[in-house]
Structure formats: C-alpha cells, structure tokens
Amino acid sequence: MTGCAAAPVHGRASRESTREQVAPGIVYQREVRNEPRPIVVHVVRIDLTAPGLRFLATPADPVPPADYEIRARRTSTFLHEYNLLLAVNANFYEPAWQHSAEDYYPKPGDGVNINGLAVSEGNVLSRSARHHPALCITADNRAWIESVDDVPQDVQNAVAGDVIFVRNGRVSAGGEGAHPRTAVALTEDGRTMLWIVVDGRQPNYSEGVTMPELATIAISHGAHIALNLDGGGSSTLVRAEPDGEPSIINSPVHVRYPPGGERAVANHLGLKVDRAGR
C-alpha cells in the first residue's frame, strides 16, 4: 500500500493569466482564453539543460495487487511520497468507471493496469503491446516522443499516451468534443519539455478543448511534437508548497461537482530539483 499525504491544498485558480518561475529552468504559466469558449490552460515549461533536474515516473509497487500491475494513487500522493516539486497524471489505465460521486473505480489503493509503456528509473512496469506513442527520458534528461513496440535503449523513465497530436509543429490529429486534457510536448531543438493541462467541464470557467484546439495551444507555446495523455477527470497538475505539502494547481473534475475532486490514477510523471540545482 502506498503512503498517504495530507489533503492537498486546493482552491480553484482565478481566471487571470499569470507566469511564475518555480525553480531555475522551470516556469509555470496560467493562460486564460475566452475563445472559442472559456478555457484555462496550465503550462509548465522545463529547460532540460538546467542543472539538478531529475524526472521520476511512478515506481512499481513492492507487492502489486493480484492480477494488476499497480495500485492507483492520487497525483498529490505521488508528489508527497517521493518529495517532488511538480507532478502530473500520465498513462491511460483500466479498469475505470464512475457511475456517481460514490460509485467509482479505482479508489486509492485499488489495482489497475497501465496502458502502454511505463518505465520508472529503468524498471519496466508496463510494455507497449499496441504500438502506443510514448515520452521517453534518459538519465541525462534527453527526451523524445515516438511510437514504440519495445523499451527503447537508455530509457530511464517513460510514460505513454494514445495519440501524437502535433508533428513537426503542425496539427496531426482530429477529434470532436471539448474535454479536460493532459499532454506533454517537446520543442524542435529538444531542449524544452512542456506539460500542458487544460481544465474542462466547468461552465463559464473552463469548458475544455478538442484535440485540434489542444494542438493549437501546444504549438503556440513552441511544441514541435506533442503527446496526448489521460485526460477528463484524471487531468491533474500538482506542485509542492515551500513546506513540502502538495498543492493542486489546476481544477480537476473527478467527481464533477464541486470541482477539485482529485482522481486516483495508475501512474504519473514527476520532477525534482536537487538542492545543488536550486
């Protein structure tokens, strides 16, 4: 069983754009848009050449639940447990359902299976059996996004999604329906990684985006290639407060109303800054 953090600090962010340097090489930006509908976008811009940065995908359970690869945990729990600066939800997973605010799966600690490639500190938790696209990161923070059938050489951490929606700086995926979204992207020179979370399903605050709209947002922030991760009620971006306690940056909609309910998911991508790099 994973450790439990205290309840994360959370209050829905104002609909005001802001920009903040979180640490050397890491900038957080909240961008508010009113067209084609109310949208709140959260972007973390990570300079992969900055000293002291260390990525971590969710490690394997020491004793995984029977018939499953991993136990679900909230993104805030992951951040707190591994003393990270920032964390975001990652792969799609199964089983999962939500029939009501009380009747849903998984709850924290429930067993789930990860869809697509998942690697943590060189340990493979889930292999890509269906040519899933993945974000791959080496120990020295070289990163790339590609479709994979096996574990690429030298990969230290990896998470997977369902579609590469930006290629060569152009929209490369269609799709209707405005939803909350989580994505990762890289600039053309490979020196900058973007984490993008768009809030959704919240009328007059942030109503979500379609996949082409998400692509346009990613490109506007310099994305050359971008990967769609698990979205909807899973979309969660968390940072550590100065005292180390987790604070939810975005407005997740796990149980829809009121906003702010955080979902337990299969795995995550986290970022830590070593003291020497602060």
Side-chain angles (χ1 to χ4, degrees):
M1 180 67 68
T2 60
C4 293
V9 177
H10 182 257
R12 189 161 74 173
S14 68
R15 293 196 81 253
E16 295 182 2
S17 297
T18 187
R19 184 181 178 91
E20 174 190 356
Q21 183 166 333
V22 178
I26 306 173
V27 175
Y28 163 72
Q29 180 177 354
R30 182 172 68 243
E31 181 181 281
V32 175
R33 300 188 178 198
N34 295 308
E35 297 293 338
R37 65 191 68 84
I39 301 167
V40 178
V41 182
H42 307 268
V43 180
V44 177
R45 189 175 189 90
I46 305 163
D47 179 355
L48 296 175
T49 69
L53 299 187
R54 184 166 65 86
F55 289 92
L56 177 68
T58 307
D61 274 300
V63 184
D67 301 322
Y68 294 106
E69 292 171 331
I70 199 165
R71 298 179 192 274
R73 55 155 76 81
R74 296 185 178 99
T75 307
S76 59
T77 303
F78 168 67
L79 177 137
H80 187 269
E81 185 174 354
Y82 292 98
N83 192 30
L84 303 169
L85 177 63
L86 291 160
V88 68
N89 68 290
N91 293 46
F92 292 83
Y93 59 92
E94 53 192 19
W97 70 76
Q98 182 179 325
H99 302 307
S100 70
E102 293 78 29
D103 181 10
Y104 63 89
Y105 189 97
K107 293 181 172 65
D110 287 340
V112 290
N113 291 319
I114 303 168
N115 292 346
L117 183 66
V119 181
S120 176
E121 297 187 306
N123 299 310
V124 179
L125 283 70
S126 173
R127 293 184 179 272
S128 182
R130 291 180 284 176
H131 205 55
H132 275 87
L135 167 71
C136 301
I137 309 170
T138 64
D140 60 355
N141 292 341
R142 290 182 294 110
W144 66 94
I145 293 170
E146 65 176 355
S147 293
V148 296
D149 289 316
D150 203 352
V151 183
Q153 190 175 6
D154 298 330
V155 168
Q156 184 76 357
N157 291 282
V159 297
D162 63 345
V163 63
I164 296 174
F165 63 93
V166 173
R167 290 183 185 272
N168 300 317
R170 298 180 180 274
V171 179
S172 63
E176 299 299 324
H179 299 288
R181 306 280 184 179
T182 298
V184 290
L186 297 168
T187 55
E188 185 172 8
D189 61 9
R191 292 168 59 93
T192 302
M193 182 185 294
L194 305 170
W195 295 359
I196 303 170
V197 174
V198 181
D199 290 325
R201 301 175 185 168
Q202 299 170 62
N204 302 315
Y205 175 75
S206 186
E207 299 176 12
V209 291
T210 66
M211 194 67 69
E213 290 166 352
L214 181 64
T216 299
I217 290 169
I219 292 166
S220 74
H221 286 274
H224 184 71
I225 188 167
L227 172 65
N228 185 59
L229 301 177
D230 187 19
S234 298
S235 289
T236 308
L237 179 63
V238 182
R239 68 176 290 180
E241 293 294 314
D243 62 1
E245 291 301 311
S247 176
I248 302 173
I249 296 176
N250 74 311
S251 184
V253 287
H254 165 44
V255 292
R256 193 70 181 272
Y257 298 108
E262 185 185 359
R263 177 176 290 174
V265 299
N267 69 328
H268 324 75
L269 181 63
L271 181 62
K272 185 173 186 176
V273 180
D274 294 334
R275 289 186 179 277
R278 288 187 183 275

